[in-house]
């Protein structure tokens, strides 16, 4: 903000002295923040006019603009205080290297924080998989206090308990899904469906088509209490039949029927809970 601009501030201008309201309007800083910076020694204490109001000079306004921009860069208050002192006590030639050193330090800090955020992202991804495994391993009505496998409480001890016989089969189903089921089986809906269906995906031929392979040619999904009816393009007939044959091997408790034609129709008969699980898995994919 130049002296000419300051001189055009209007009612707040008093012989190059500005009221705190005028400074607030032209720096974008709240009045409370300006008072705080003054109290913390970030800018020098200002004088008061005969009316008792604070009066700021053009240099004070420039200091506040420097403070504002430095805070945007993420500098802490002590760093800002030092920067303001150096800036208004140095010539441009000597202040340049000081400013470059500050920029380098901030860049290093930003890189460190980016690395920390990336690490946090990986931790969250791992935690999500931990939660999905826990959901498959627990039984309905089980209390967190009795679980021993809360991913935010039990950590390694809880993980070790996942080798117990009562949860090992659930883990095996999840691991098999990740290996043999393709991307379509990596969603939370698919993992939850496995826990309900109790399918043994190790019995499923690895080369058989997955639902991911045939879903692009799925036309409609129709739900009944104990039946799910899927209609596919006729061109998908061979892949659909191979998919059904594979599902019969890994999900022997569920009845699959396929009727070739246009459309090719698949009927799945199962319990309402199993149909619910299948519908949750298949519907978001369409």
């Amino acid at each position: 903000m130049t002296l000419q601009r300051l001189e055009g501030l209007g009612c707040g201008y008093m012989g190059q002295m500005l009221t705190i309201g005028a400074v607030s309007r032209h720096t974008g800083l709240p009045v409370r923040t300006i008072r705080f910076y003054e109290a913390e020694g970030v800018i020098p204490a200002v004088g008061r006019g005969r009316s008792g109001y604070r009066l700021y000079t053009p240099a004070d306004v420039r200091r506040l603009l420097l403070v504002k921009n430095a805070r945007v860069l993420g500098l802490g208050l002590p760093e800002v205080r030092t920067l303001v002192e150096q800036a208004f006590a140095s010539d441009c030639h000597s202040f340049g290297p000081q400013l470059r050193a500050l920029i380098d330090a901030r860049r290093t800090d930003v890189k460190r924080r980016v690395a920390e955020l990336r690490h946090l992202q990986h931790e969250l991804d791992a935690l999500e998989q931990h939660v999905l495994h826990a959901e498959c391993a627990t039984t309905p009505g089980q209390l967190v206090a009795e679980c021993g496998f809360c991913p935010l409480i039990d950590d390694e001890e809880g993980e070790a308990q996942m080798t117990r016989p009562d949860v090992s089969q659930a883990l095996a189903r999840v691991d098999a899904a990740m290996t043999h089921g393709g991307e379509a089986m990596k969603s939370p809906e698919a993992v939850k469906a496995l826990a309900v269906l109790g399918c043994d995906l190790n019995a499923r031929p690895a080369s058989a088509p997955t639902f991911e392979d045939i879903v692009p040619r799925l036309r409609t999904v129709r739900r009944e209490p104990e039946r799910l009816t899927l209609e596919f393009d006729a061109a998908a007939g061979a892949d659909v039949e191979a998919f059904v044959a594979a599902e019969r091997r890994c999900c022997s408790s569920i009845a699959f029927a396929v009727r070739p034609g246009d459309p090719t129709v698949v009927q799945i008969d199962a319990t309402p809970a199993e149909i619910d699980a299948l519908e949750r898995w298949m519907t978001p994919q369409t």
Side-chain angles (χ1 to χ4, degrees), residues 154-161:
D154 299 292
D155 197 35
E156 295 181 358
E157 180 181 355
E159 187 173 352
Q161 294 185 29

Side-chain angles (χ1 to χ4, degrees), residues 101 202 217 224:
N202 289 312
R217 290 170 286 183
E224 298 174 49

Side-chain angles (χ1 to χ4, degrees), residues 197 225-228 253-255 268-275 278:
L197 300 176
E226 297 186 356
R227 172 172 291 179
L228 200 62
S253 65
I254 299 174
I268 306 173
D269 293 312
T271 66
E274 290 170 335
I275 294 297
L278 286 167

Side-chain angles (χ1 to χ4, degrees), residues 6-18:
L6 291 172
E7 291 173 343
L9 293 182
C11 63
Y13 173 68
M14 299 173 63
Q16 297 186 16
M17 304 298 285
L18 301 164

Side-chain angles (χ1 to χ4, degrees), residues 23-260:
V23 174
S24 174
R25 288 193 298 273
H26 291 276
T27 61
L29 293 171
V31 168
R32 181 180 299 179
T33 301
I34 297 172
R35 289 173 177 162
F36 171 75
Y37 287 147
E38 183 181 348
E40 292 295 316
V42 179
I43 65 170
V46 299
R48 295 176 180 266
R50 283 176 292 183
S51 61
Y53 291 109
R54 286 179 171 87
L55 297 177
Y56 295 80
T57 68
D60 293 327
V61 175
R62 297 191 72 226
R63 286 187 177 92
L64 286 167
L65 290 171
L66 176 57
V67 171
K68 177 182 177 181
N69 291 328
R71 294 291 278 171
V72 169
L73 293 177
L75 296 182
L77 208 58
E79 294 174 298
V80 172
R81 185 185 297 111
T82 300
L83 177 65
V84 172
E85 291 174 354
Q86 291 175 340
F88 283 84
S90 305
D91 57 49
C92 293
H93 183 74
S94 61
F95 183 62
Q98 296 172 358
L99 193 55
R100 287 201 305 273
L102 178 63
I103 292 170
D104 289 341
R106 286 299 300 146
R107 184 181 291 112
T108 299
D109 186 53
V110 168
K111 288 180 179 178
R112 176 186 59 78
R113 292 171 62 186
V114 168
E116 290 175 351
L117 289 173
R118 286 175 177 165
H119 177 72
L120 176 60
Q121 183 178 18
H122 293 319
E123 290 290 318
L124 290 172
D125 291 341
L127 179 61
E128 182 179 31
Q129 290 302 314
H130 195 131
V131 171
L132 292 174
H133 279 66
E135 288 178 350
C136 290
T138 55
T139 57
Q142 183 171 344
L143 299 177
V144 173
E146 301 171 353
C147 173
F149 188 58
C150 177
L152 289 178
I153 300 175
D154 299 292
D155 197 35
E156 295 181 358
E157 180 181 355
E159 187 173 352
Q161 294 185 29
M162 285 298 289
T163 60
R164 296 175 302 179
D166 60 328
V167 300
S168 60
Q169 292 183 355
L171 284 179
R173 291 197 299 271
V174 174
D175 292 339
M178 299 303 183
T179 302
H180 301 296
E183 292 296 323
M185 293 303 295
K186 293 183 180 180
S187 67
E189 292 82 4
V191 175
K192 292 175 184 177
L194 287 173
V196 174
L197 300 176
C199 294
D200 180 11
L201 291 191
N202 289 312
R204 194 182 199 280
S207 59
T210 65
F211 185 70
E212 180 187 17
D213 297 321
I214 62 176
V215 69
R217 290 170 286 183
L218 177 64
R219 292 184 182 176
T220 62
V221 178
R222 187 168 66 255
R223 164 69 193 270
E224 298 174 49
E226 297 186 356
R227 172 172 291 179
L228 200 62
T229 302
L230 313 177
E231 294 185 351
F232 295 87
D233 293 338
D239 287 340
V240 170
E241 291 186 41
F243 166 78
V244 169
E247 293 302 307
R248 285 171 176 158
R249 293 184 60 175
C250 66
C251 298
S252 57
S253 65
I254 299 174
F256 291 86
V258 58
R259 185 177 68 246

